[in-house]
Amino acid sequence: MTDQIVIFAMKQSTWGQRRPMQWVPLELQLSNMRMRKHNILTKDDISKVNKLNEDLALNESQLEDFLNVQHSLGKLIYYPLPLLDNFVIIYPPALVNILRSFVTCTQFFPEKENLKSILHNLTVTGKIYKTDLFKLWNQDQFQQYMPNDATKEFIVQLLIHLDILIIPKTFKHTDCSNELYLVPCMIKESRPVNVFPVYNQGDKTIFLRYSLISGSIPSALTYKVIGAVLSVWPLKEENDRPCLYHKAAVLNVVEDNELRVWVDNNQILVQMTNAQSLQDMSKDVAASIQECLTWNLESCIEFYSSSFGRKIKLTDVSKLYSLEVGIPHHTDVCFISVTKVKDTDTWVCKQGCEHSTRYLRYWIFNRSQDKCEAGCTGLSKDELESEPNEKHLVRLGSTFGIEKFKDYYSKLGMDATTFENIEYDFKTHGSQGIISVAMIKWKTSQPLANKTPTMNDLFNALGDSDTTHRMCKVRI
Ligand SMILES: [Zn+2]
Ligand SMILES: [Zn+2]
Ligand SMILES: [Zn+2]
């Protein structure tokens, strides 16, 4: 029996690095402190407490491990990140109570007029000043958690990290003395239905629609998506009021483009409108907006599922939603799936009318849409024998979705573990970033195996016969 336990323990990656038995004294001390109503400690406090254990005290890296593991178990909140790593919330419900200081319903607003008006203002504009936040936190029931300004500053940084407070793009670096935040979840005003979407913009507007597969989108995810959007593009303002609504926002994007984003049941809808016409809309701008939104949605889904203990791989996230592009038609919007729109110049919609896909393809970076000249026979022998540079690698990588790329990568002779590690290390870079890193990794791994990487290697791994001209796009 004990043998089995040892074998099991040795299989754990933590074997030999962490000795949880050694954690017991510090765990007991922390639970004592919780009972004595300590909620938020500095890391120095914890270090001092730890040192009381003398020969059982953890060294610095063991203490760091301890905090990280306890965090992942939900026993405390600790982020080893700049601005966040000096404090530890040893009693996590404290954070929920602190949140109630400004994320709350009208009936729980404080009695004091000045505090009440801060919260009333917040529900109308979605804005709150840091000084006002601190005023709310000076009330007795919050003061006990945050007795000094250093702790309050830490909580502000934590709430920014958790996307509850959003630093709006517009107001960045304008007035550092009194910072302003947006709190999307506190906006009560519903979106004006007549402008989400705007219909009378026929040839000036295109749509995107993300539909989540399972049920409706949880509120927490909605606010994270809206928050992410707000930190990328400036909010449009009308009569001094930011165009931020309950689960909706209007943003200004470069070159006279207006972006409307709103959440409706299980769908996230996006409308981009150019002030002049679709001809004036930049393909690159539209496609990069789509990539940015997609990446943000995927990382929000990933964050949401990981904070509920279900770790999903980035490659699986894309299966949890579908993406369509659309154009206005009469008083409706006609959508077509993003995969279909790539292969067709026109399509007949449900109402029986034919639409061009020309502007809809603006949403997608399509590096392989230009056709070769007649009689093109692909790369010459010399070209095939040449060494691919980084541009070639990134360009070829961009012609794959991540699932197809995994097959291709193994045909290049790379093992799945290498790819999984890259996927993990570079998950914040989005799928194209991961693919690019993997391609470059392939090239650098070749000399180690005494091989010279060539365009021919890349070509042969493509396999099928109809890929001759795929390499032409890489060469450009
Ligand atoms: Zn139609
Ligand atoms: Zn029609
Ligand atoms: Zn060709």
Side-chain angles (χ1 to χ4, degrees), residues 371-373 375-379 468-473 475:
K371 295 192 173 75
C372 290
E373 283 171 33
C376 168
T377 53
L379 270 62
T468 310
H469 298 286
R470 196 148 168 186
M471 295 301 288
C472 303
K473 312 301 172 265
R475 165 180 61 180

Side-chain angles (χ1 to χ4, degrees), residues 329-330 349 351-353 355:
H329 180 192
H330 304 313
C349 73
Q351 299 179 47
C353 293
H355 297 293

Side-chain angles (χ1 to χ4, degrees), residues 327-330 333-334 347-355:
I327 46 169
H329 180 192
H330 304 313
V333 183
C334 295
W347 99 98
V348 177
C349 73
K350 281 181 187 146
Q351 299 179 47
C353 293
E354 191 173 66
H355 297 293

